[in-house]
Amino acid sequence: MIKKCMMEFGVGKAAVSSSQNGGEGDEDVVVGLEKDVQQLVFKVILSEEMWLINKPVLIKGMVGMGKTTLARQVYKHAAVIENFKHCCAWVSLSSFTSRHEVLVELMRQLVTLDGVSLWLEKMDNQSLQQMLFWKLKEMPQWFIVLDNVLPEMLFESFLLDLARLSKPRHQCRWLITSCHQIKQQLFYTHEMKALDSDKSWQLFLQTINKFTSDDNKFSKELERKAKEMLKKCGGLPIAIIDVGREKAKQRLLGIEWDELFDSIDLSKTLKLLEPMYLELDEDMKSCFLHMSFFKENAIMREEKLHHVWAANGVRTGTTPCASLADRSIIEVVHPYPEMYRVKRCRMNPLLHMLSIKKAEEEIGLEILRNNGNDRPLESPRHRVIHCGRAKFNNSTNQDKFYHSTNQDKNLVSLILHLICGVDELNHSTNQDKFLVSLIFHGGGRYLDDAGQSYWKSFELLKLLDMEDFGAKTLSESIGTLTELRYLGLRNNYVEEIPHSLGGLKRLEVLDIALNFMVEVPDIINEMGGLRLLNMSDVICRKPLKVDALQNLKTLTFMSIYSWTYEASNLKKMTSLYKLGIEEIDEYSNVNELFLSLAKLKKLNHLILRGFRFRMMSCLDEIRVLHSLRTLRLDGYIARLPSANSFPLELVYLALVNTCLDEDPMPILMKLSNLRRLKLRNAYNGRELMFKMRKLEILCISELWNLRKVRFEECKIVRLKQLEITNCPHLETLPQEIQSMSYLQKFKMVTTKYIATNIKNSGLHSKIVEVDISP
């Protein structure tokens, strides 16, 4: 009764709303959904493809991305109305909605009740569901939209039972919108993307025109300024509309546009996003908070995220990134071949802004930037420093800087204090001793010469990340950070790793990859706590005895000539899961290597790299690695191993820069468990014939001579995703893709001439997701 009274007087949100026109409150401003609408209407909702027949459809995306608007455009589309006549229903849900209310509303909209509508409220759920199912079985077609389904509603079994009601020839469609992934394998999921800069500007312009009742015109300079301002909205439609409304109101008060485009207030949108954070469990909240350590719009590696979380004591479980992606908190940029894995991801700028806000409130995050607007905390727990691009030099005089502003100078002084131990900066060390995390974002700035370090004041520091910072030297006193768990030195100019790192017994992650020709002393075997060691192009005066690292799970990349890999010693490496070996040439004894690696029972992922322009030696003995599921061969090889020489359980194979003269397909087609294949600069021939029934993902790139691709027995092929990039002589698509019933995604990057011909060919007309560029 309280809820009913609240709704009557307009307090709170109604539990259920419905409309034959697709819900209440239609927005007049809609931009950037034309392609999505066409795709969903003609390639999904009205599709006759068997894999889509009666399959539930999910529109998924973060809060404010326009899921309801898209669903409404589909629901009201002329072709949908014509096809389903009056057998349509739309139900908008909220956190108050019960299953009983949904069933009652569906009955009211889909079934002629002949005056018995009042009885529905008194019926139990089982009776209502039986009656609804019985009625729907008799209907040749129907279209139902459930808007804003939440995971706690537990509708999955109900939705799937409803989807199974219809006969194969019936056209029955079920569309739901949600921020959450629901039964990924059973639903077709349409993932909504943020608007690009041009579409963001169009939406903003239409919004201010609507509220000012004027057709506003802007100079190129003002448009550029506005687009720069709108970047903060991250392409989120609801944020752009809110900003547009606010700017329109301010304009009506007489403020000039030039002034209005100087700043932006996103507090209203952040408040709208906050419930998403509050709904997370404690572990997921911790993951979300620590993503504030990264740059805005950064492409994040799943591996790094896991280790950052672990270094701060966050219990992540087995698939935290996948869980965040399922909740639309992160966007998957590059998925792993394995299900529930995310190789690379990004976070929307507004969610990143929210993570910073919450981290400052809840875990003592301090952010220092070169604009000088930040106020240092008294006792920060986590510090992120954003540096400018100016170069400075402290080799002879700490006061001699090369940068443009006083704010830069203050920040440089702080950096020199933290890294170089410049004691005269009057910076209290009491602030440092509480720090657990210290992260630098360099943006190109670097130290030409580092003095004595000041690391001794960071007594509790567990995470030190200087990736992309531009550091050239590290002091030996960094070994005093005895609590350190994570040390990130990736992509710098570091020439030598300090010997003192051997004393970091609790260090779990050491990432020194992409430091060109960095010298690594013989200390690795002393770091018994290491779980991940990333490096490449290292100089080792003595072979590294990594076999002593019993906890090591990931080791990339180890030169085959800088490693002692006797089989008797490798038995100790009981945890190694992923291994990268480089500098393999025709003189390398890979047979002995493979026999030794066979002792690693958990080895699942292997990467083999060639040495410069030399040819890799014969790989036939790789078959002894029985547990291998992922294999990447990167480098020139004369021939592939025979089909019988590949590991039997191989699921993912990548051939990169192999430059094969002999067609690899007669061998690859015999790999019975292969699900994903990547060919990049892998083959010099002109034609490829695929006959692989279980292959699901195929990526072809940089095959410079390729003229023709064919698929045999295409009707039973299970290929779901096809990607072709930078094959300049491949001017046509294989005719067989028209008959591939499972093919859902097709992406092609080629010349403008070929792209135009491919788009006009119509061969891809049945594929749901098509991206051909330019």
Side-chain angles (χ1 to χ4, degrees):
M1 291 299 296
I2 291 173
K3 185 164 66 176
K4 287 183 179 179
C5 290
M6 288 172 67
M7 286 189 288
E8 286 178 11
F9 289 95
V11 182
K13 185 176 180 180
V16 177
S17 65
S18 62
S19 171
Q20 292 292 338
N21 294 320
E24 301 297 332
D26 290 11
E27 295 94 346
D28 293 329
V29 182
V30 179
V31 170
L33 295 180
E34 298 83 1
K35 184 178 178 181
D36 300 73
V37 172
Q38 290 292 108
Q39 177 180 311
L40 283 171
V41 170
F42 295 106
K43 292 189 175 183
V44 180
I45 302 299
L46 302 182
S47 172
E48 296 182 356
E49 293 296 313
M50 288 304 297
W51 72 276
L52 276 171
I53 292 292
N54 305 327
K55 192 168 189 176
V57 179
L58 168 65
I59 298 176
K60 176 179 171 290
M62 65 178 283
V63 174
M65 192 60 80
K67 301 181 294 297
T68 300
T69 303
L70 175 57
R72 187 183 296 116
Q73 296 292 310
V74 171
Y75 188 82
K76 295 167 62 177
H77 194 280
V80 171
I81 293 172
E82 173 63 25
N83 188 80
F84 294 101
K85 305 300 182 184
H86 301 292
C87 303
C88 297
W90 176 292
V91 183
S92 297
L93 312 179
S94 79
S95 55
F96 299 115
T97 309
S98 68
R99 178 176 294 197
H100 184 270
E101 290 168 312
V102 173
L103 290 169
V104 168
E105 192 57 45
L106 289 175
M107 286 290 293
R108 283 175 175 163
Q109 292 192 50
L110 291 170
V111 180
T112 302
L113 299 170
D114 298 326
V116 296
S117 177
L118 294 177
W119 295 0
L120 297 177
E121 296 283 355
K122 299 180 181 180
M123 293 177 65
D124 60 74
N125 285 356
Q126 185 176 358
S127 300
L128 277 170
Q129 185 166 316
Q130 287 178 349
M131 181 183 293
L132 177 65
F133 283 12
W134 180 72
K135 290 287 186 181
L136 290 178
K137 276 184 179 180
E138 305 303 316
M139 299 170 68
Q141 71 269 332
W142 43 261
F143 181 41
I144 299 173
V145 179
L146 276 190
D147 183 31
N148 190 34
V149 173
L150 303 175
E152 59 265 26
M153 293 176 177
L154 301 176
F155 281 161
E156 289 184 7
S157 60
F158 169 69
L159 295 172
L160 295 173
D161 287 343
L162 191 58
R164 296 187 188 105
L165 280 179
S166 58
K167 298 176 182 179
R169 294 183 181 178
H170 288 191
Q171 277 202 329
C172 304
R173 291 292 186 267
W174 187 273
L175 174 65
I176 67 175
T177 72
S178 180
C179 295
H180 303 263
Q181 183 65 57
I182 301 176
K183 289 289 184 184
Q184 187 170 5
Q185 296 304 303
L186 299 176
F187 279 72
Y188 169 72
T189 301
H190 180 86
E191 192 92 30
M192 293 205 69
K193 305 295 183 184
L195 299 179
D196 61 23
S197 177
D198 289 336
K199 288 187 171 64
S200 295
W201 167 248
Q202 291 174 29
L203 180 59
F204 176 75
L205 188 59
Q206 289 188 30
T207 303
I208 60 175
N209 286 345
K210 175 185 175 183
F211 284 92
T212 60
S213 301
D214 193 10
D215 188 12
N216 293 280
K217 303 293 183 181
F218 297 96
S219 66
K220 288 186 178 181
E221 177 57 27
L222 273 180
E223 183 178 330
R224 182 202 61 78
K225 194 173 181 180
K227 285 183 176 180
E228 192 65 29
M229 175 192 71
L230 290 174
K231 284 182 180 179
K232 292 292 183 183
C233 295
L236 194 65
I238 196 168
I240 297 167
I241 291 172
D242 283 342
V243 170
R245 287 172 177 167
E246 189 61 32
K247 297 300 180 185
K249 290 177 183 177
Q250 293 173 346
R251 174 60 181 158
L252 292 173
L253 293 175
I255 304 175
E256 294 298 325
W257 287 118
D258 192 22
E259 229 178 298
L260 291 175
F261 293 163
D262 284 335
S263 62
I264 189 169
D265 181 8
L266 295 168
S267 56
K268 183 178 178 181
T269 306
L270 289 179
K271 193 170 183 179
L272 180 69
L273 296 176
E274 195 164 333
M276 174 279 305
Y277 167 72
L278 298 175
E279 291 167 1
L280 298 174
D281 61 35
E282 291 306 311
D283 291 340
M284 286 293 102
K285 280 183 179 178
S286 295
C287 292
F288 181 78
L289 294 175
H290 287 87
M291 294 179 83
S292 60
F293 293 177
F294 294 81
K295 289 182 181 180
E296 181 182 296
N297 278 320
I299 302 296
M300 298 170 285
R301 303 187 304 277
E302 180 191 52
E303 186 177 62
K304 181 172 181 177
L305 280 169
H306 278 225
H307 290 295
V308 166
W309 292 329
N312 282 279
V314 180
R315 295 173 299 167
T316 60
T318 54
T319 59
C321 281
S323 297
L324 290 170
D326 284 350
R327 291 169 169 83
S328 301
I329 293 174
I330 60 174
E331 175 193 350
V332 178
V333 176
H334 188 173
Y336 261 111
E338 300 93 338
M339 193 180 297
Y340 309 121
R341 293 290 307 279
V342 176
K343 190 171 184 178
R344 290 183 179 86
C345 61
R346 70 160 62 93
M347 176 182 272
N348 185 277
L350 279 165
L351 286 179
H352 184 257
M353 198 180 299
L354 180 64
S355 72
I356 291 175
K357 177 176 179 290
K358 289 298 178 183
E360 289 174 337
E361 295 171 357
E362 301 183 18
I363 62 172
L365 173 68
E366 173 188 78
I367 296 183
L368 302 177
R369 300 178 179 86
N370 62 344
N371 58 19
N373 293 332
D374 304 287
R375 297 180 179 178
L377 302 179
E378 289 187 8
S379 302
R381 296 279 292 164
H382 311 276
R383 179 183 289 150
V384 178
I385 299 177
H386 293 267
C387 308
R389 292 186 174 274
K391 173 183 174 180
F392 61 93
N393 187 317
N394 71 310
S395 58
T396 57
N397 185 343
Q398 283 103 17
D399 293 326
K400 183 179 180 181
F401 301 106
Y402 296 92
H403 43 83
S404 57
T405 65
N406 290 330
Q407 289 86 352
D408 281 344
K409 183 173 180 179
N410 293 336
L411 186 58
V412 171
S413 298
L414 175 60
I415 295 169
L416 289 174
H417 167 74
L418 294 174
I419 299 179
C420 308
V422 181
D423 297 330
E424 63 190 20
L425 299 174
N426 300 319
H427 184 77
S428 171
T429 57
N430 288 330
Q431 295 182 6
D432 300 338
K433 70 179 184 180
F434 296 105
L435 279 178
V436 176
S437 308
L438 181 58
I439 301 98
F440 293 93
H441 297 308
R445 169 170 280 163
Y446 60 91
L447 293 168
D448 283 341
D449 182 25
Q452 288 298 312
S453 182
Y454 197 72
W455 295 118
K456 60 184 179 182
S457 64
F458 298 94
E459 300 172 5
L460 302 178
L461 199 65
K462 294 182 179 180
L463 184 147
L464 175 59
D465 187 17
M466 299 169 65
E467 181 171 341
D468 301 323
F469 178 60
K472 295 183 69 175
T473 59
L474 293 173
S475 171
E476 284 288 341
S477 58
I478 199 171
T480 61
L481 302 175
T482 55
E483 295 296 317
L484 206 61
R485 305 303 200 269
Y486 181 103
L487 179 55
L489 300 170
R490 190 183 189 93
N491 197 24
N492 280 284
Y493 304 102
V494 177
E495 298 173 354
E496 184 178 2
I497 299 300
H499 285 74
S500 62
L501 290 191
L504 302 180
K505 304 301 181 184
R506 298 189 178 185
L507 192 67
E508 296 180 356
V509 177
L510 176 59
D511 191 346
I512 57 174
L514 305 180
N515 284 274
F516 182 67
M517 303 307 289
V518 58
E519 184 170 345
V520 179
D522 187 20
I523 57 168
I524 298 299
N525 60 312
E526 301 173 22
M527 306 168 77
L530 279 181
R531 295 179 180 273
L532 177 142
L533 176 57
N534 277 345
M535 54 186 180
S536 57
D537 292 324
V538 300
I539 300 172
C540 304
R541 303 198 182 276
K542 293 182 180 180
L544 298 181
K545 300 175 182 177
V546 295
D547 48 274
L549 306 177
Q550 298 182 23
N551 297 315
L552 201 64
K553 293 184 177 180
T554 298
L555 173 59
T556 59
F557 281 89
M558 178 66 71
S559 169
I560 194 172
Y561 296 110
S562 301
W563 183 25
T564 55
Y565 48 82
E566 288 83 0
S568 57
N569 293 330
L570 287 184
K571 289 181 180 180
K572 303 174 186 176
M573 301 180 72
T574 54
S575 302
L576 197 63
Y577 174 88
K578 179 180 178 181
L579 175 64
I581 307 291
E582 64 182 1
E583 298 188 352
I584 298 174
D585 59 20
E586 63 268 32
Y587 304 109
S588 304
N589 191 347
V590 291
N591 291 343
E592 182 182 344
L593 172 68
F594 294 150
L595 289 173
S596 298
L597 295 182
K599 304 296 182 182
L600 303 173
K601 301 303 180 184
K602 291 188 177 180
L603 186 63
N604 179 286
H605 188 154
L606 179 63
I607 306 170
L608 300 177
R609 278 184 180 174
F611 183 74
R612 302 296 191 277
F613 300 104
R614 300 180 188 174
M615 184 181 297
M616 284 197 282
S617 53
C618 176
L619 305 175
D620 286 341
E621 293 304 316
I622 200 170
R623 62 175 173 266
V624 300
L625 304 180
H626 303 298
S627 60
L628 212 61
R629 293 174 63 83
T630 299
L631 175 63
R632 179 185 175 103
L633 302 179
D634 187 346
Y636 182 42
I637 55 178
R639 63 174 180 83
L640 284 179
S642 65
N644 294 331
S645 296
F646 277 97
L648 293 176
E649 300 300 317
L650 201 63
V651 174
Y652 173 38
L653 175 64
L655 302 180
V656 180
N657 299 321
T658 52
C659 301
L660 293 164
D661 291 320
E662 186 177 342
D663 187 353
M665 298 317 302
I667 294 174
L668 299 182
M669 64 186 291
K670 297 177 183 177
L671 304 183
S672 58
N673 290 308
L674 202 63
R675 299 292 186 276
R676 179 171 178 174
L677 176 63
K678 180 177 182 179
L679 303 174
R680 193 181 85 195
N681 192 24
Y683 174 50
N684 297 325
R686 294 181 168 222
E687 183 174 338
L688 285 174
M689 163 70 84
F690 293 92
K691 187 180 179 181
M692 307 161 81
R693 296 184 180 183
K694 294 185 179 180
L695 193 66
E696 296 179 357
I697 299 175
L698 173 61
C699 300
I700 303 172
S701 65
E702 299 175 24
L703 300 188
W704 308 111
N705 298 320
L706 188 66
R707 263 74 171 172
K708 189 174 184 180
V709 173
R710 293 178 55 206
F711 290 89
E712 193 171 305
E713 299 181 1
C714 55
K715 291 185 178 180
I716 55 176
V717 147
R718 295 187 181 181
L719 195 67
K720 296 179 181 179
Q721 183 174 332
L722 174 61
E723 183 176 321
I724 303 173
T725 59
N726 298 327
C727 297
H729 296 293
L730 186 64
E731 298 186 2
T732 59
L733 294 181
Q735 294 285 333
E736 297 89 349
I737 68 170
Q738 296 181 100
S739 305
M740 293 182 183
S741 56
Y742 292 94
L743 189 58
Q744 303 173 27
K745 298 181 180 181
F746 172 64
K747 180 178 180 180
M748 188 171 190
V749 179
T750 183
T751 65
K752 186 174 182 179
Y753 170 76
I754 295 176
T756 302
N757 289 341
I758 296 293
K759 290 174 184 177
N760 294 334
S761 69
L763 291 173
H764 51 78
S765 60
K766 294 183 179 180
I767 305 173
V768 177
E769 299 179 32
V770 177
D771 181 7
I772 302 173
S773 59

